[in-house]
Amino acid sequence: MEFAFTDEQQMIAETARAFFAENATSARTRAAMEGDGIDTALWRDFCEELGFSGISIPEAAGGAGLGLVELAIIAEAAGAHVAALPMLGSLMLCAPAIAAGGNETQREEWLPGLLSGATIAAFVEDPSLIVQNGRLTGGSRYVAHGALAGLFVVTDGSGAWLVRRDAVGVSVTAQTTMDQTRPLAEVRFDGAVAEALADPAEGLAAANRTALVGLAAEALGGAQASLDRTVEYAKERVQFGRPIGSFQAYKHRLADMMVEIEQARSAVYWAACAVDEGSAEAPLALHAAKSFAADTGFRCAADMIQLHGGIGFTWEHDAHLFFKRARSIQTLLGKGDWHREQVAAMILGEAA
């Protein structure tokens, strides 16, 4: 596998970093948190001006036809600024599911709106979902951006269906959410009319791969930003006549953060490369990347709060935005313990 970025990937990385640094400011993120959890202008520019929304969607389906390495680059840049965008549901789960598992009619109907940002989609998983004669009964309390979705991709773990928000029998209730940049909603179906994906197995597999890499890359971006901001603070904050970054104990904490981040970076891009290259290691790499990067993001955000001292514990400081995002990433798409169990089973087999 080639772990060095190509010239095209370097250009994408520079463009993404510059875009989020200029536009995904703390003030705009907090304004979105006070509203519906989305920075609408940022979302429009992300989708329409830069075309990042279809980065990993095949060209035949209207996307850019690139891979998960490029998606990871963009997700890492977004995570570094805790961007208030509905990337998880619309672009990491639903769009790949429809592109890979939908028929031509389903792709033509939904993908243009998803990739332009005009339509927001949310992913609903309910293992106990009841399906009878094309109607669904069930739902979930924890659907990212569910309150804003115009389309739901619903699964019981094996089948997958498309349900319109305005269908009879669909109810949505916004929830009080820890990470206000990724608000959750309770979505319930009571005999709602659903349209089955043409190839649910392929669609769900594509969604799972894309979302695991995307979330891991988000966590990596948040961890790196936590370290960078803490280093800058360590240079400016003076105690006992010296910058606090000159104290040995402080240096050790920063060094520990850096080591974990570099390991997480290797895990994230290993997973993205493995998927793009069709490697047999891909399933193992995906579980490793999600568990390691999510935990690294959480630890670095927590260290950021502690190493900023008293100011880090105030709501006005952005450290809390990173901490809450990192905590939510840990719980999405399987907790770290579950992913590590999958890694153990793959490596050790029955001995696990």
Side-chain angles (χ1 to χ4, degrees):
M1 294 181 186
E2 179 59 62
F3 284 95
F5 287 163
T6 64
D7 290 342
E8 182 182 35
Q9 290 167 344
Q10 286 282 14
M11 182 183 68
I12 292 172
E14 292 169 5
T15 301
R17 285 195 291 263
F19 170 72
F20 285 111
E22 180 179 354
N23 298 289
T25 61
S26 173
R28 287 180 60 169
T29 296
R30 290 176 181 272
M33 290 163 58
E34 294 295 325
D36 55 18
I38 292 180
D39 185 334
T40 305
L42 185 70
W43 180 236
R44 182 186 62 247
D45 292 343
F46 178 89
C47 295
E48 295 182 358
E49 298 298 324
L50 296 179
F52 281 161
S53 52
I55 196 76
S56 63
I57 300 297
E59 287 184 280
L66 299 177
L68 292 193
V69 171
E70 289 79 10
L71 174 80
I73 289 170
I74 294 170
E76 181 183 351
H81 295 273
V82 200
L85 299 177
M87 291 176 60
L88 175 60
S90 275
L91 306 185
M92 296 180 190
L93 286 166
C94 296
I98 295 172
N103 56 36
E104 185 175 351
T105 300
Q106 291 167 336
R107 292 196 294 269
E108 289 179 352
E109 180 177 7
W110 293 109
L111 285 179
L114 291 176
L115 299 188
S116 70
T119 300
I120 294 174
F123 193 82
V124 183
E125 185 170 6
D126 178 8
S128 61
L129 189 72
I130 299 173
V131 184
Q132 292 182 332
N133 301 320
R135 294 179 177 270
L136 308 184
T137 299
S140 172
R141 296 180 59 194
Y142 311 107
V143 180
H145 289 105
L148 299 174
L151 171 70
F152 299 105
V153 175
V154 188
T155 181
D156 59 0
S158 56
W161 298 266
L162 304 179
V163 180
R164 297 173 181 271
R165 167 66 180 272
D166 57 6
V168 175
V170 177
S171 63
V172 180
T173 305
Q175 302 276 56
T176 300
T177 307
M178 178 180 66
D179 178 12
Q180 295 163 289
T181 64
R182 183 170 280 152
L184 304 179
E186 179 176 5
V187 178
R188 309 301 305 179
F189 307 107
D190 185 9
V193 175
E195 180 183 355
L197 276 186
D199 188 345
E202 186 60 33
L204 292 176
N208 185 64
R209 293 191 298 265
T210 306
L212 287 176
V213 168
L215 278 181
E218 264 192 26
L220 171 62
Q224 184 66 63
S226 297
L227 174 60
D228 293 342
R229 293 181 180 218
T230 306
V231 168
E232 289 303 311
Y233 178 75
K235 295 176 181 178
E236 298 170 357
R237 181 73 169 94
V238 174
Q239 284 185 343
F240 307 109
R242 296 167 54 185
I244 60 174
S246 67
F247 296 112
Q248 189 174 42
Y250 203 102
K251 290 179 181 178
H252 287 173
R253 292 285 292 275
L254 295 177
D256 289 342
M257 291 170 71
M258 184 189 72
V259 169
E260 291 204 14
I261 289 168
E262 290 308 310
Q263 292 180 86
R265 190 180 310 281
S266 296
V268 169
Y269 286 100
W270 171 42
C273 284
V275 173
D276 285 348
E277 297 179 9
S279 170
E281 294 181 330
L284 175 67
L286 287 168
H287 289 299
K290 171 56 168 66
S291 59
F292 199 98
D295 287 351
T296 297
F298 181 74
R299 284 193 291 268
C300 288
D303 284 346
M304 180 186 185
I305 291 175
Q306 292 186 3
L307 293 175
H308 274 74
I311 192 174
F313 286 85
T314 63
W315 171 238
E316 289 75 18
H317 200 278
D318 286 349
H320 286 273
L321 303 182
F322 288 92
F323 183 81
K324 291 179 178 182
R325 172 63 68 86
R327 187 68 184 92
S328 72
I329 289 175
Q330 280 190 312
T331 63
L332 291 167
L333 302 183
K335 295 183 179 180
D337 289 346
W338 181 82
H339 284 287
R340 284 186 285 272
E341 286 178 3
Q342 309 314 305
V343 171
M346 291 177 182
I347 295 176
L348 302 176
E350 294 183 3

